[in-house]
Structures are given as structure tokens and as C-alpha cells.
Amino acid sequence: MVEEENIEEACRKAVEEDDGPKGVCYCFWGPIYWFKMLAVEMHWSFVFGVVSIYGINQGLGGALSRIGTEYYMKDVQRVQPSEAQVYSGITSIPWIIKPIWGLLTDVVPIMGYRRRPYFILSGMLGVVSMLFISLHSKLQLVLAILALTAGNLAGAVADVTVDACVAQNSISHPSRAADMQSLCTLSYSFGGLLGFSISGVFIHLIGPKGVFGLLTLPAALISLVGILLSEPQVSNFAYNEVNQKFHDAAKSMWTTLKGPDVWRPCLYMYISTTVSLNINEGLFYWYTDSKEGPSFSKEAVGYIFSMGAIGSFLGALLYQNVLKNRSLRDMLFWTQLLFGLAGMLDLMLVQRMNLRFGIPDYLFIVIGEAVSQMIYRLKWMPLLVLCSKLCPSGIEGTFFALLMSIGNLGDLSSSWGGGLLLHVLNVTRIKFEDLWLAILIRNILRVSPLCLLFLVPKGDPNAFMLSTKDEAETSEPDNIELASLIHSVDDKF
């Protein structure tokens, strides 16, 4: 055992001392060196878990699910865009209450295990829900929404465990916090790129219900992660103390959340997300309309969203290599401003201004989607790094899930607000006269959070660290193979 530890320590020192590939070779060997470095410092199974959950399940599976759901609501259930906007918010509710799943995995072990059973059960739930919606030819709308919500529940439970590993490793390896967020984002973006690229083809060949059938494979991968995960079994767990542990965890989260260093950035994150009204359903119906819009094919829609994934991927690369040490306020100022300006590309497209300049619809929307998603990713990356540093020791995973659920609550508010705006402006399946006004209102609201930048810290998000007073009282964490669980926090925020 001691010999293995010495070998691992020697590997770490070798990676730290090695300057890595240089020059032209970096283009090929650089990513491999980066993955090797993360695998040595954080353990290879952590990297495998992140790539599996973020890349395959959420990236690839999420892309197929998004396009499949868009066409399912439009062509199978035949709902109005404002209604589809509301329904998409309902199905995302499991992501909003992620702290509950985090508390369950942290506090309530099943058969002596804290992680493996939740992975296995969530994967099974995802498989059953996707099969249910894919095998019914005339499924009622309510049951379809329940099935989609169950699928999101499966993804949220798996996600909260990986988020815990990222948060805990960000505390134990603060210098690698940005690298870990980049790993998550790059995996998600690459998986999304692949998923969006093939989504339109599969929608055309097997229809949206067939795509839901394919989604059983990424869901099954969640169970596979649970089966392969090496985790020590908890012996003689006192289930009669579960209520007290829930109470202690909730008290610790509330104590941390009410601190100004925490609630101020959280408030900014919620408001900046909420006011950026989501009117994507109205734009999607317009994209595919044969009279008012450009009437894009299913394949074209998939390729358009894949360009957005490329933009997100480039945004993550840009942040990792150039912008990760920039001031948080400066980053948010420029990205929020550019995010509002990028929305004007949608306005120009709907008003057909691009045709006056001789730019085809497809080329114009591809550019707009890539630029918008790149800016959106640059806007969120520093906030994700900051959130990973705000987690108190002992409940890192649950608190990180709480912070992420605040963003998801903002997404829900944005989706419902966008649906209300589409309804008020009478944007329907066939009427798009006032869609331009909805886009203009959204773009103006996007830049309004600039006046709230005083809520976020000024400095480099990688330098922030939450201070705790009860470090000496924290218990030794569970040593599962998926991550290094460290509870000591020495630096101050």
C-alpha cells in the first residue's frame, strides 16, 4: 500500500515538473497531456465519470433529447409555442430541486452504499421513461410530460453526484478548479456537438419517438457507472439519525447561503438568468415554418444546433487558455453586454435583413447560433468556477447542487416568462408577426443585469475560497474511487 502511494506521488511530481508538449506538437499531444495530468492528480476514474455523465449522457443524450422533444411537441402533440415553452419548464423541475437528491446521496445510504445504488436506480428510471414514451403511439400529453420529467429526474440524480466530485476536488485542488470545469464543459460540448450533428438525421429516419428509444442507451450508461464504481460499504449506519443529519445539513447550507459572500453572487446568477427570457420555442416554430420562416429541414435544424455546440466548445477553450484568470466582474460585464448584442442577430434574421445583404438564411443562423453559444459559455464558466469554491466542507455536493439549482430556477423563470411573452404577443404555430418584438424585448432585458455587477466579487474566481469555522469538527469523508473527497479548507474567500 505504501509502495503504491509512493508511485502515485512520484507520478504527480513528474506531471508537475514536466512542462508538457511545446510548439506544434501541442495541438496533438496537448489534450492527451492535459487528460493525463487530470487523471494522475484526480484519479482516472474521476475523469471517466465526468466524461461519461457530462459527455455521453448530458451532452450526446441531451442534444438528442432536445431536438426530439422539440419535434415531438410540435408534430406529435401539436401544441402552441407558448405552451411548449411552459411544458419545457415543467419537465426541468427535477433539475431545480437537485439539493434534495444531493442530500439523499450524502445522508441516506442504500444497502451500505451512498453512490452506487443511486447511479443504478437513476439509470433504470431513465431507461423505463424513455421506453414508455417511445413505445406508445398515442400517448396523452400529461403522460408524455410525466415521462419526460422522469427522464430529467434520472439525469439530475446522476449529475448531482458528479457535481459533488467536481466541487470536492475543486476544494482539494484549488489550482485545478478551472481545469475541472473545463473538462466538464468540453465533454458536454463535444458530446452535444456529436448529438446535434446526428439528431436531425435520426429525427428524419425514425421520428422523435424513435429518438427517445435511442436515449435508453445513454441512460443505461448511468447504471453502468454505478456498477463499476468502487465504493467502500458503510457498516452499521444509524438510520435513526437520518432526520438529524438532514437538519444539520440544511442548517449548514442556510448558514453558508446567508453570508454576503455567497448570497450576492447567487442573486446575480438568478436575476441575470431570469431576465434573459427564453423564446426559443417561438424561434424554432418560425425556423421550420413553410410560409413565414425559412422552412429548415430536420437535418438542417440538427446541424444548426451542432454549430451552437461548436461555439460552446470554442468558448470553453477560450476561457481555459486565455480568460480563466481575468477579473470576474470584467468577464461578466463584457459577456453580458455581448450576449445582448448577439441576440440582435435573431432580430435581423426574423426581419430578413440578412437577405438584403445577400447572406443566406442558413449561413446567417449558423453564425448567430455559434456566436451566441460561445458568449453564453464564456458568461457561465467563471460563475461555475466561483460556485465550486463557495461550497462548505462536508456538504460540498449538496451545496453545489443548491447553487446550480438557483441557476436552474432562473432557467425555469426565463422559460415561463418567455412563454408568457409569446402568448401576450400572440405568437402561435402559424402567426409570427410580433416575433420580432419578443426578440427585441428579450435583448434589452439581457443587458439589464449590468447594473447588478456590484453583487459579484471583483477578483479572479480561481483565487476565491470559502472560509469555514468548523473544519476541525468535520468528519473523515468517504473514500470512493470516483473522487478524492477532502474536507479541509484553509484559504479565505
Side-chain angles (χ1 to χ4, degrees), residues 15 18-34 36-37:
V15 171
D18 186 8
D19 292 332
K22 302 294 185 181
V24 179
C25 293
Y26 183 81
C27 296
F28 177 76
W29 292 109
I32 298 177
Y33 171 81
W34 185 61
K36 176 184 175 183
M37 177 269 296

Side-chain angles (χ1 to χ4, degrees), residues 315 317-327 331 378:
L317 287 177
L318 182 61
Y319 177 80
Q320 167 66 20
N321 294 290
V322 180
L323 301 173
K324 66 179 181 181
N325 295 320
R326 299 289 182 178
S327 167
M331 280 288 297
L378 288 173

Side-chain angles (χ1 to χ4, degrees), residues 22-96:
K22 302 294 185 181
V24 179
C25 293
Y26 183 81
C27 296
F28 177 76
W29 292 109
I32 298 177
Y33 171 81
W34 185 61
F35 271 96
K36 176 184 175 183
M37 177 269 296
L38 290 178
V40 170
E41 293 196 21
M42 257 70 67
H43 201 279
W44 65 267
S45 56
F46 169 76
V47 178
F48 171 77
V50 168
V51 173
S52 298
I53 301 301
Y54 278 103
I56 299 177
N57 186 259
Q58 296 184 22
L60 175 63
L64 290 173
S65 177
R66 177 177 176 182
I67 301 299
T69 303
E70 297 270 15
Y71 278 101
Y72 182 78
M73 289 296 178
K74 178 177 180 289
D75 297 336
V76 179
Q77 296 293 343
R78 302 190 64 81
V79 300
Q80 297 293 341
S82 59
E83 296 173 339
Q85 201 77 58
V86 174
Y87 297 147
S88 67
I90 294 175
T91 58
S92 68
I93 288 178
W95 292 92
I96 298 174

Side-chain angles (χ1 to χ4, degrees), residues 36-310:
K36 176 184 175 183
M37 177 269 296
L38 290 178
V40 170
E41 293 196 21
M42 257 70 67
H43 201 279
W44 65 267
S45 56
F46 169 76
V47 178
F48 171 77
V50 168
V51 173
S52 298
I53 301 301
Y54 278 103
I56 299 177
N57 186 259
Q58 296 184 22
L60 175 63
L64 290 173
S65 177
R66 177 177 176 182
I67 301 299
T69 303
E70 297 270 15
Y71 278 101
Y72 182 78
M73 289 296 178
K74 178 177 180 289
D75 297 336
V76 179
Q77 296 293 343
R78 302 190 64 81
V79 300
Q80 297 293 341
S82 59
E83 296 173 339
Q85 201 77 58
V86 174
Y87 297 147
S88 67
I90 294 175
T91 58
S92 68
I93 288 178
W95 292 92
I96 298 174
I97 55 177
K98 277 175 59 177
I100 296 178
W101 323 131
L103 280 173
L104 286 175
T105 58
D106 288 342
V107 176
V108 185
I110 298 177
M111 299 180 64
Y113 294 99
R114 297 182 184 274
R115 314 295 180 184
R116 297 178 62 186
Y118 289 99
F119 271 124
I120 295 172
L121 291 175
S122 61
M124 293 173 58
L125 176 62
V127 170
V128 171
S129 61
M130 292 298 100
L131 284 177
F132 181 78
I133 195 173
S134 65
L135 296 178
H136 284 76
S137 58
K138 296 182 179 180
L139 190 63
Q140 294 182 0
L141 178 60
V142 174
L143 295 178
I145 292 175
L146 288 176
L148 292 172
T149 304
N152 278 325
L153 172 60
V157 173
D159 176 78
V160 74
T161 305
V162 176
D163 281 348
C165 299
V166 173
Q168 290 156 352
N169 276 305
S170 295
I171 292 175
S172 61
H173 302 81
S175 64
R176 297 300 181 193
D179 293 280
M180 283 181 273
Q181 289 300 332
S182 296
L183 176 64
C184 298
T185 302
L186 292 173
S187 300
Y188 178 84
S189 299
F190 186 78
L193 172 61
L194 178 60
F196 284 126
S197 298
I198 64 177
S199 61
V201 176
F202 280 111
I203 291 289
H204 177 74
L205 294 176
I206 60 179
K209 290 190 294 184
V211 168
F212 287 129
L214 288 177
L215 288 174
T216 57
L217 299 179
L221 181 63
I222 300 177
S223 293
L224 181 62
V225 172
I227 294 172
L228 298 178
L229 178 66
S230 177
E231 176 187 8
Q233 190 172 16
V234 179
S235 59
N236 301 322
F237 180 78
Y239 284 94
N240 58 336
E241 298 179 1
V242 168
N243 289 336
Q244 182 61 38
K245 290 185 177 181
F246 268 106
H247 178 268
D248 292 341
K251 181 179 179 181
S252 179
M253 285 193 294
W254 171 247
T255 300
T256 306
L257 189 60
K258 69 181 182 179
D261 291 338
V262 178
W263 70 258
R264 289 162 62 95
C266 290
L267 180 61
Y268 175 84
M269 183 166 59
Y270 173 75
I271 294 177
S272 64
T273 305
T274 299
V275 299
S276 300
L277 297 181
N278 183 349
I279 56 173
N280 290 339
E281 297 298 335
L283 288 170
F284 173 75
Y285 278 56
W286 182 81
Y287 293 158
T288 56
D289 187 73
S290 59
K291 295 181 180 179
E292 299 291 334
S295 188
F296 289 133
S297 65
K298 297 179 177 66
E299 293 86 351
V301 171
Y303 294 143
I304 288 170
F305 281 107
S306 70
M307 292 301 105
I310 291 178

Side-chain angles (χ1 to χ4, degrees), residues 409-444:
L409 180 60
D411 289 332
L412 176 64
S413 303
S414 173
S415 181
W416 285 357
L420 178 62
L421 179 62
L422 293 175
H423 178 73
V424 170
L425 296 178
N426 196 30
V427 177
T428 67
R429 295 173 56 88
I430 57 175
K431 295 178 63 177
F432 305 98
E433 289 83 358
D434 291 328
L435 180 59
W436 70 270
L437 182 57
I439 296 173
L440 182 60
I441 294 174
R442 180 204 64 180
N443 294 342
I444 294 175

